[in-house]
Amino acid sequence: MSNYDVVVIGSGPGGYVGAIRCAQLGMKTALIEKYDTLGGTCLNVGCIPSKALLDSSEHFHNATHNFKQHGIELGSIKADIKQMIARKNEVVSQTCSGIKFLMDKNKIDVFHGMGSLVDSTTVLVKGTEEKTLKAKNIIIATGSKPNYFPGMEPDKKRIITSTEALSMTEIPKKMLVIGGGVIGLELGSVYGRLGTEIEVVEFAPNIIPTMDGTMSKELTKVLKKEGFKFHFEHRVQKVENTGKGVKLTALNKKGEEVTLEADYCLVAVGRKPYTEGLGLENAGIKVNDRGQVEVNDHLQTNVPNIYAIGDVVRGAMLAHKAEEEGVFVAELLAGQKPHLNYDLIPGVVYTWPEVAAVGKTEEELKAVNVPFKSGAFPIKALGRARASMDIMGTVKVLAHAETDEILGVHMIAPRAADLIMEAVTAMEYRASAEDIARICHPHPTYSEAVKEAALAATADRALHI
Ligand code: FAD
Ligand code: NAD
């Protein structure tokens, strides 16, 4: 039996970052991971591999669609999916090894095997051998798994989840995507750019339904231009593997049956918390009706020395949110008073152009009757955009009508994932739209669109439109 100050179960961005911070603060720390590699969903089958394939497919798309206009003739171009997947695997492998290095550097004991609670201070690890760990505190960071609804159960062959879509051995001729959310649109973009016909079947009347309406409209236009087809307000009844492909039956908003056929069907209708085999009942830990481990404002479960973070608890299922929660709990355990601002967690969709947002959407502000002003600036009006031929998109700044405080920033723009950080920083310091508008932005850059949208929100005084 080994004794620890903290045992962390799950090595995703929540767990491994939490473990590093615990070790930095002088706690004897153990990390348990059921798979052979560290890094969780994010590094193995999430953020990193999807971005690797998005980048490869973006290069292919540019080579086939844009290089000629830049004056670059390449002759015949072919996408080699096997090489793309091999490169993606190499990126994943290097990134996961980096986590192993960080664990060693911080003297964190890593145990590979299924971790389960025996009671509130004992964790059993079942790997190649069994090990019992005693812990003063436990952090549950077991993450999430793909969700699905009756009739669309993935068989992982033709009816696939994001995990299989990240390791395809062929470029499908046609792929159905159930769910026009982040995963559906990112992985749909990967294969769409490689030539796959993509048809999205979405329950809601628009894509990325929780984001600002302008972003949804703009992204729909971009993706339609890329060849995506959308079936909105469709209720999927059944998806079958027909041997050589899939057949999907759905009801449209008039209640009529619609049948769609393709080579593959990607099910991307959200993710669910993962607590199977964790033995929550042995410690008396409560879960809510969505299967999430219940936590208070300190991320503490109903058992005082057991905490939970990341996708397994309420809130956005994002790697950076999980990381911040890992740091938060570690600092709390060390007696510090950490702070986490859930209102300012940025969200990004890595299509091209990227969509990024922070703060309230226009729809949210209207729903709670907050008086606001809106300023927008089109990307095509930037010199930088015309120089690079990346002219799609817009930046929108929402500010309080009376105080001018920035309440939300939404953008669809090249490198929006990076641009959004100016807004996050400004909002963290409760800046006004005029504050951003008066800051000198380098020219020519995409960041000028943020300044111009802020100028537009301040007093309708954008300079270049
Ligand atoms: P996870 O990363 O899910 O890690 C949990 C770990 O716990 C896993 O390794 C699991 O094996 C282990 N585990 C579970 N139970 C046990 C047990 N009993 N014993 C031992 N180990 C256990 N987020 C972003 O912010 N940006 C992105 O670009 C992004 N892209 C994504 C793309 C895809 C395709 C997917 C699927 C997700 C993406 N996400 C992205 C979401 C992101 O991956 C998650 O929000 C993040 O990984 C959650 O971190 P976590 O630490 O809570 O859990
Ligand atoms: P999501 O919640 O983003 O999107 C799911 C979509 O499926 C929604 O548009 C929803 O209306 C639709 N839907 C739900 N039920 C449906 C049904 N029965 N039929 C048709 N459509 C239906 O979920 P996701 O795309 O699966 O992603 C899961 C999680 O992973 C998200 O919470 C996201 O935060 C995270 N993720 C983040 C990134 C990123 O940060 N770039 C990338 C990938 C995944």
Side-chain angles (χ1 to χ4, degrees), residues 149 152 179 181-183 186 202-203 209 268-270 317-318 348 350:
F149 295 104
M152 56 172 91
V182 205
I183 292 182
E186 287 186 3
E202 168 60 57
F203 183 71
V269 293
M317 286 182 158
L318 294 173
V348 177
Y350 291 83

Side-chain angles (χ1 to χ4, degrees), residues 14 57 151 238 257 277 317 404:
S57 60
K238 199 164 62 172
E257 196 171 280
M317 286 182 158
D404 198 36

Side-chain angles (χ1 to χ4, degrees), residues 130-142:
E130 281 196 11
K131 198 106 185 139
T132 302
L133 312 181
K134 248 348 214 180
K136 279 189 207 145
N137 293 290
I138 295 168
I139 303 176
I140 297 169
T142 49

Side-chain angles (χ1 to χ4, degrees), residues 145-165 168 175-185 187-188 199-202 236 238-240 246-248 264-272:
K145 286 273 178 247
N147 196 18
Y148 52 86
F149 295 104
M152 56 172 91
E153 291 83 359
D155 63 6
K156 302 190 179 183
K157 294 185 176 78
R158 293 274 163 191
I159 307 164
I160 59 176
T161 71
S162 52
T163 303
E164 293 75 50
M168 301 287 281
M175 186 187 269
L176 301 175
V177 176
I178 309 179
V182 205
I183 292 182
L185 302 182
L187 293 178
E199 286 197 35
V200 178
V201 184
E202 168 60 57
V236 174
K238 199 164 62 172
V239 192
E240 294 162 82
V246 290
K247 189 170 150 195
L248 180 152
Y264 292 89
C265 176
L266 168 63
V267 180
V269 293
R271 292 177 63 85
K272 55 184 174 199

